[in-house]
Amino acid sequence: MLMSINATTWLARRLGEYDVLTEEEKCALEQIIEHDHRVSENQDIVVEGSRPSHSILLIEGFCARYNLLPDGKRQITAIHIPGDFVDLHSFCLKRMDHSIAAITRCRVAAIPHRALREMTENHPHLARLLWTSTAVDGAILRQWLFGMGRRSALERMAHQICELFVRLKGVGLVEDESFQMPVTQAQLADILGISTVHVNRIAQELRGQGIITWRGATVVIEDWERLCQIAEFNPTYLNLQNGPR
Amino acid sequence: MLMSINATTWLARRLGEYDVLTEEEKCALEQIIEHDHRVSENQDIVVEGSRPSHSILLIEGFCARYNLLPDGKRQITAIHIPGDFVDLHSFCLKRMDHSIAAITRCRVAAIPHRALREMTENHPHLARLLWTSTAVDGAILRQWLFGMGRRSALERMAHQICELFVRLKGVGLVEDESFQMPVTQAQLADILGISTVHVNRIAQELRGQGIITWRGATVVIEDWERLCQIAEFNPTYLNLQNGPR
DNA sequence: CGGCCCCTTGAACTACATCAACGGGGGTGG
DNA sequence: CCACCCCCGTTGATGTAGTTCAAGGGGCCG
């Protein structure tokens, strides 16, 4: 397990996915992390309307961005896994137009916006990689939107599982084709934009066909080929390949 | 009308929405625009799978990003109006995971990625504003996703009109509560993620209630209050306010 | 003048939502 | 230690927003 990896390492590893880092750059990343704290399940990490002075790096656990309608309907617009720079965009946008909540118990590190700003002044290459991170978030959002508009609930659920699988694999959180997906059916409903009842039935469809097993928080991919086929999954948008930036 | 505004001015104006630019910065922006050309209606500006060496700034006309499913279903994930930096993210992402098409005849300017890279080296403040532009694109995507998941077709259409109205107003393309929306009902269907038949019926609903008129490409807002109310529109996410970045 | 795109309308169908109810497990209080 | 309760997953029945199919009319362009 990766329990003991520290915040700096996560950040270096994430940015290192986009391009090779020099030793000096890794050093610079060491400096920017201010503190490191725990958040309990279901607690908000960043709330709508606030003006954060720090951005949050997720070290352990899962969290979600979401929007609420006055009538209580909720839409989750992103799920974040360890290593994700959860609200990097708050550096650019100043005022939050949505909230971010911990889905499980989380450990997070805070990076002051001041440090990010200095990074754009003194380490343009690192700044480009941070910018890239924002762009990748956008690419994922486009895929979700694409699916929400034009894919069926079954296809979307399959796609979601494909994406999570690949992303978790990228940070070493997959073992033997299985991974942790610590979300309730109600939360998954808010991710997929459907009702909890429908999530239940769709999940049974995928399980019944022997494509996945899902008990508790543990998902096992039984038939990756078939899952990708249902989802029409193409991982290009995750930008996992490394290159000069 | 704004027919004769040149590319540099558009760019300075857009970035100036996020923060005040110095004269020197405006000067720097002058240097980066390489050429300026026309694209005819329905022509692709950037195609999926390519690796652009330039990013495109839209000067005149409307264009759309879209994704295609193998069966021909299409989802538009963004519409761009004059002044938008249409594929700024291609600088970060390298390979396009979607295409961009001209909805109307367009005039566009190309900015070499090399110049953007130099900007991150020599003009960190401008680089932050470009980054902000990427972040605002993301914020708009979140709103679309939110709507797609949790709003009805009527609400989404109302929201879309609100957004377009505010954005066009921001670049001076609104006169007397009316603006140009040069999209067919089929294209609007691909934006809203519904069928063209349903677009037709929803549009009649909005017209029937006297909330908008829409003939040809011209939309007139007859009852802004009511439109916003249906859409539950809150323009915060467009980040139109200026501040130090 | 012909053809094609675009808008419009009706009728039948389906993927989903909503409502309602029940069982099991894990945590909490008595 | 037991009782309770609440959350979570599950299932059935019914309702509805939106799709699909089919057809016709108007305007614009070749």
Side-chain angles (χ1 to χ4, degrees):
Chain A
M1 291 301 286
L2 300 167
M3 304 301 268
S4 53
I5 292 184
N6 70 18
T8 306
T9 311
W10 271 124
L11 189 52
R13 183 187 283 202
R14 167 54 44 92
L15 298 185
E17 279 175 22
Y18 304 137
D19 193 6
V20 180
L21 304 184
T22 65
E23 281 309 314
E24 195 228 332
E25 286 172 339
K26 285 179 190 168
C27 235
L29 291 177
E30 298 265 358
Q31 315 300 317
I32 68 171
I33 291 173
E34 194 157 84
H35 55 275
D36 176 321
H37 61 109
R38 291 180 186 282
V39 181
S40 54
E41 196 177 331
N42 288 325
Q43 193 183 322
D44 275 348
I45 297 177
V46 189
V47 300
E48 184 170 346
S50 65
R51 295 174 148 273
S53 59
H54 294 66
S55 280
I56 298 296
L57 182 70
L58 181 58
I59 301 172
E60 265 175 54
F62 286 65
C63 63
R65 301 184 202 180
Y66 65 92
N67 285 76
L68 288 174
L69 236 32
D71 68 359
K73 280 188 183 131
R74 184 168 89 141
Q75 178 65 46
I76 290 177
T77 58
I79 40 185
H80 288 294
I81 64 172
D84 282 358
F85 217 143
V86 162
D87 69 331
L88 180 53
H89 57 278
S90 74
F91 171 59
C92 298
L93 299 184
K94 308 305 177 196
R95 167 156 270 133
M96 294 296 290
D97 62 349
H98 61 280
S99 303
I100 301 175
I103 291 183
T104 63
R105 289 175 70 241
C106 287
R107 199 151 65 86
V108 301
I111 288 115
H113 287 168
R114 178 185 32 74
L116 293 173
R117 188 197 156 95
E118 280 164 16
M119 189 154 290
T120 64
E121 306 279 349
N122 304 324
H123 294 279
H125 180 235
L126 288 176
R128 286 196 295 275
L129 299 184
L130 290 170
W131 183 2
T132 299
S133 172
T134 304
V136 171
D137 277 0
I140 293 175
L141 275 167
R142 270 194 298 278
Q143 268 313 306
W144 284 35
L145 180 63
F146 179 25
M148 201 73 93
R150 294 306 188 195
R151 281 193 249 254
S152 70
L154 180 72
E155 292 162 348
R156 254 178 287 160
M157 179 154 166
H159 201 277
Q160 197 61 59
I161 292 172
C162 287
E163 181 187 305
L164 210 50
F165 181 74
V166 170
R167 287 170 62 199
L168 288 171
K169 200 171 211 169
V171 292
L173 289 173
V174 167
E175 286 177 43
D176 294 339
E177 311 302 300
S178 96
F179 61 91
Q180 295 308 107
M181 185 169 76
V183 298
T184 65
Q185 292 188 356
Q187 287 166 333
L188 192 49
D190 288 340
I191 292 169
L192 300 174
I194 59 181
S195 66
T196 69
V197 172
H198 204 52
V199 166
N200 187 287
R201 299 201 228 261
I202 295 301
Q204 284 181 56
E205 180 71 22
L206 285 178
R207 287 187 289 206
Q209 290 192 29
I211 296 169
I212 60 165
T213 58
W214 177 19
R215 211 174 10 228
T218 306
V219 173
V220 185
I221 309 289
E222 304 289 353
D223 189 344
W224 176 247
E225 286 287 311
R226 188 106 180 70
L227 188 65
C228 286
Q229 185 190 331
I230 291 173
E232 318 222 53
F233 182 69
N234 173 351
T236 309
Y237 71 100
L238 291 171
N239 282 268
L240 296 172
Q241 78 285 24
N242 192 295
R245 291 178 203 257
Chain B
M1 293 301 288
L2 299 167
M3 304 301 269
S4 54
I5 292 184
N6 71 17
T8 307
T9 311
W10 271 125
L11 189 50
R13 182 186 285 203
R14 167 54 44 91
L15 298 185
E17 279 175 23
Y18 304 136
D19 193 5
V20 180
L21 305 184
T22 65
E23 281 310 312
E24 195 228 331
E25 285 172 339
K26 285 180 190 166
C27 232
L29 291 176
E30 298 265 357
Q31 314 300 317
I32 69 171
I33 290 171
E34 196 157 84
H35 55 273
D36 174 320
H37 61 108
R38 290 181 186 280
V39 181
S40 54
E41 196 177 330
N42 288 326
Q43 193 183 322
D44 274 348
I45 297 177
V46 188
V47 300
E48 184 171 345
S50 65
R51 294 173 149 275
S53 60
H54 293 65
S55 281
I56 298 295
L57 181 71
L58 182 57
I59 301 170
E60 264 176 55
F62 285 65
C63 62
R65 301 184 201 180
Y66 65 92
N67 285 77
L68 288 174
L69 237 30
D71 68 0
K73 278 187 184 132
R74 185 167 88 139
Q75 178 64 47
I76 290 177
T77 58
I79 41 185
H80 287 293
I81 65 172
D84 283 358
F85 217 143
V86 162
D87 70 331
L88 180 53
H89 57 279
S90 74
F91 171 60
C92 297
L93 299 184
K94 308 306 178 195
R95 166 155 270 134
M96 293 296 290
D97 61 351
H98 61 278
S99 302
I100 300 174
I103 290 183
T104 64
R105 288 175 70 242
C106 288
R107 199 152 65 86
V108 301
I111 287 113
H113 286 168
R114 179 185 31 74
L116 293 173
R117 189 197 155 96
E118 281 164 14
M119 190 154 290
T120 64
E121 307 279 350
N122 304 324
H123 294 278
H125 180 236
L126 287 176
R128 287 194 296 275
L129 299 184
L130 290 171
W131 184 1
T132 299
S133 171
T134 304
V136 171
D137 277 0
I140 294 174
L141 275 168
R142 271 194 299 277
Q143 271 308 312
W144 285 35
L145 179 63
F146 178 26
M148 201 72 94
R150 295 304 188 197
R151 282 194 250 254
S152 71
L154 180 71
E155 292 162 348
R156 254 178 287 160
M157 180 154 165
H159 200 277
Q160 197 61 59
I161 293 172
C162 287
E163 180 185 306
L164 209 50
F165 182 74
V166 170
R167 287 170 62 199
L168 287 171
K169 199 171 211 169
V171 291
L173 289 172
V174 167
E175 287 176 44
D176 294 340
E177 311 302 300
S178 95
F179 62 91
Q180 295 308 107
M181 185 169 75
V183 298
T184 65
Q185 293 189 355
Q187 287 167 333
L188 192 50
D190 288 341
I191 292 169
L192 299 175
I194 58 181
S195 66
T196 68
V197 172
H198 203 52
V199 167
N200 187 287
R201 299 202 230 259
I202 295 300
Q204 284 179 56
E205 180 70 23
L206 284 178
R207 287 187 289 206
Q209 290 193 30
I211 296 168
I212 60 165
T213 59
W214 177 19
R215 207 168 19 222
T218 306
V219 173
V220 185
I221 310 288
E222 305 288 354
D223 189 344
W224 177 247
E225 287 287 310
R226 187 107 180 68
L227 188 66
C228 286
Q229 186 190 330
I230 291 173
E232 318 221 54
F233 182 68
N234 172 351
T236 307
Y237 71 99
L238 292 171
N239 282 270
L240 296 172
Q241 79 285 27
N242 192 296
R245 292 178 200 258

